[in-house]
Amino acid sequence: MKSDKVIIWVHGGGWNSGSPKYFDFVGQCVAGAGYRFISLGYRLSPKNKYPCQIEDVCAGYNAALRYLNQKKINTSKVIVSGPSAGAHLSSILCYSKSTQEKYHVDVSNIIGFIGVGGPYSFSVPASLSVKILLDQLFAKDYDRTKGEPCSLMTKNHIPMLLIQSKHDGLINYSCAERFYEKAKSIGNECELYEVIDRKNTHSWYTARMFLETRNENKGLDKFFS
């Protein structure tokens, strides 16, 4: 049975690698579950500095809706999701009013956000790898609060599910905790789900879980349920 929901996905890769074509297996998994699926790309760092990435994600989101509407496909129930760097960018798309106004994004038809392993806060302890990736993403002396989901979040109607592992190895679990606390403090609906699967390191639960089945992977089952 096909769902009436559309999932728009923003890929991960540390902002400096990846493209939609590398995540075909995610689309196959989601489409196999009955959902329409669109995967968005963006210019990569370090050549392209933020906010190029969110500019591209917003433009891609608008283009995706135009395409679906031209095909007479219902876009009244959109779910936005992404892993890792994609969770960072897609959360800004959903919750930053200033970003929405700047890039003319209408989020009224988004009924949910699912972030997987996202770096939502830059004020929590970060691994050396994340520090290097952020240094590549932002120009020197750039005000990073302008690209930090926790700082940019405003109150709106979109409920969020944050899927995060305490054994991530790359992204500190407190990133999701801080984002969750900010959401609750301003009245946004939010659920924080801790990954309990045995395969719970960053690359496994942010992407490779889509190579498994819902019976095999509880994180994947949570994503769909």
Side-chain angles (χ1 to χ4, degrees):
M1 180 178 178
K2 288 190 176 180
S3 172
D4 60 351
K5 300 177 181 67
V6 176
I7 294 181
I8 295 183
W9 174 266
V10 182
H11 71 79
W15 303 283
N16 67 0
S17 64
S19 76
K21 69 180 180 179
Y22 295 153
F23 292 92
D24 278 352
F25 66 94
V26 179
Q28 291 166 4
C29 176
V30 173
Y35 298 87
R36 296 187 185 277
F37 180 87
I38 289 184
S39 184
L40 303 182
Y42 46 89
R43 283 169 286 176
L44 302 175
S45 67
K47 180 180 179 180
N48 302 287
K49 299 298 184 182
Y50 190 90
C52 287
Q53 293 74 21
I54 191 61
E55 178 181 325
D56 291 350
V57 167
C58 289
Y61 178 81
N62 287 336
L65 292 188
R66 287 195 300 269
Y67 173 81
L68 293 170
N69 288 328
Q70 288 169 3
K71 296 293 183 180
K72 308 298 183 185
I73 294 171
N74 180 16
T75 59
S76 65
K77 296 180 180 179
V78 174
I79 296 169
V80 175
S81 183
S84 194
H88 165 262
L89 294 169
S90 55
S91 66
I92 294 174
L93 167 71
C94 288
Y95 298 104
S96 170
K97 186 175 182 180
S98 61
T99 300
Q100 295 155 11
E101 291 176 345
K102 182 176 182 179
Y103 299 114
H104 310 291
V105 175
D106 180 2
V107 298
S108 61
N109 57 345
I110 299 178
I111 63 168
F113 165 75
I114 306 174
V116 188
Y120 309 107
S121 172
F122 302 154
S123 61
V124 302
S127 65
L128 177 60
S129 295
V130 170
K131 290 178 181 177
I132 292 171
L133 291 171
L134 290 173
D135 286 343
Q136 292 179 347
L137 178 65
F138 294 111
K140 186 179 179 181
D141 299 325
Y142 183 83
D143 180 1
R144 295 187 180 186
T145 62
K146 294 180 179 179
E148 182 190 40
C150 265
S151 295
L152 294 171
M153 186 196 298
T154 51
K155 180 173 173 55
N156 71 14
H157 68 284
I158 305 171
M160 69 173 75
L161 168 64
L162 306 178
I163 299 176
Q164 207 92 358
S165 171
K166 289 184 177 177
H167 303 279
D168 184 295
L170 181 66
I171 303 296
N172 196 308
Y173 188 79
S174 58
C175 277
E177 289 181 313
R178 187 71 57 87
F179 203 47
Y180 171 84
E181 290 165 0
K182 175 66 179 291
K184 302 298 280 189
S185 71
I186 63 175
N188 286 346
E189 183 180 348
C190 182
E191 178 183 355
L192 175 55
Y193 173 81
E194 180 187 345
V195 176
I196 58 174
D197 296 285
R198 181 175 61 84
K199 299 173 181 177
N200 57 10
T201 55
H202 188 77
S203 61
W204 264 110
Y205 81 95
T206 59
R208 295 180 190 174
M209 71 176 182
F210 291 95
L211 294 172
E212 299 188 320
T213 67
R214 293 179 66 172
N215 287 334
E216 293 172 322
N217 191 294
K218 292 181 176 62
L220 182 65
D221 184 64
K222 184 66 177 179
F223 176 91
F224 282 120
S225 63

